Amino acid sequence: MTAQISPSDAPSCPPINILLVEDSEADIELTREAFQAAQIANVMHVARDGVEALELLQSGPELDYRPDLILLDINMPRMNGLELLNVLKTDPALRTIPVVVLTTSSAEEDILRSYQSHASSYVVKPIDFEQFFSAIQALGRYMLTIVRLPG
């Protein structure tokens, strides 16, 4: 599933190509709404678990899909986020993609394991929409204005 959001106030910024790995339909919609409300240009693909994400990322040259950023939930069926993160960071073709763990878990063990597996950042999803919106807005602005991605 792909959705493209382009804000009217930043036509010169190329959209961020995002892979959202999330199994909660409510969180998927909330993330889309937050990016749209923050007017952050993006093309968002969604995978509902680690297996689906790997299928998309390893689909071969015919799709040629490489996101600028992966937003990764931890608690998912089939292959959870930490398992996927380990696969991503050991694959030479995928290891340079920034991965932000975006999850409801604030467990120290999950935070530690994420950073040990080379997550770029660990963000606990705020329950409140306004706080979630602020977190997504900050993340999007950071990706648009500060991060230098490989061309």
Side-chain angles (χ1 to χ4, degrees):
M1 181 183 306
T2 305
Q4 184 165 351
I5 308 295
S6 297
S8 58
D9 69 340
S12 62
C13 292
I16 303 169
N17 190 355
I18 300 169
L19 174 58
L20 174 62
V21 187
E22 171 65 65
D23 65 324
S24 165
E25 198 60 44
D27 285 351
I28 292 168
E29 287 309 310
L30 187 61
T31 303
R32 282 191 177 129
E33 288 174 20
F35 271 96
Q36 184 173 15
Q39 297 188 338
I40 298 166
N42 70 87
V43 176
M44 187 176 296
H45 290 78
V46 176
R48 288 178 169 66
D49 61 40
V51 173
E52 191 176 322
L54 277 178
E55 288 171 355
L56 180 62
L57 290 165
Q58 297 175 335
S59 59
E62 64 277 357
L63 183 61
D64 196 30
Y65 176 69
R66 182 178 176 84
D68 298 317
L69 173 68
I70 297 174
L71 298 177
L72 179 62
D73 188 22
I74 289 181
N75 301 310
M76 296 179 294
R78 296 200 300 170
M79 176 187 282
N80 71 40
L82 292 173
E83 293 167 331
L84 175 60
L85 184 57
N86 283 322
V87 172
L88 294 173
K89 295 306 178 179
T90 57
D91 184 326
L94 302 173
R95 74 170 52 132
T96 59
I97 300 170
V99 177
V100 173
V101 175
L102 182 62
T103 185
T104 56
S105 174
S106 59
E108 286 298 318
E109 178 182 331
D110 289 338
I111 296 168
L112 181 61
R113 288 179 59 203
S114 294
Y115 282 120
Q116 286 174 336
S117 298
H118 307 287
S120 301
S121 298
Y122 191 100
V123 178
V124 178
K125 290 180 197 171
I127 303 298
D128 175 77
F129 176 76
E130 291 302 318
Q131 291 176 335
F132 186 76
F133 169 77
S134 293
I136 293 296
Q137 184 177 32
L139 178 63
R141 298 289 179 230
Y142 171 73
M143 289 302 297
L144 282 173
T145 61
I146 297 172
V147 174
R148 170 95 178 146
L149 299 168

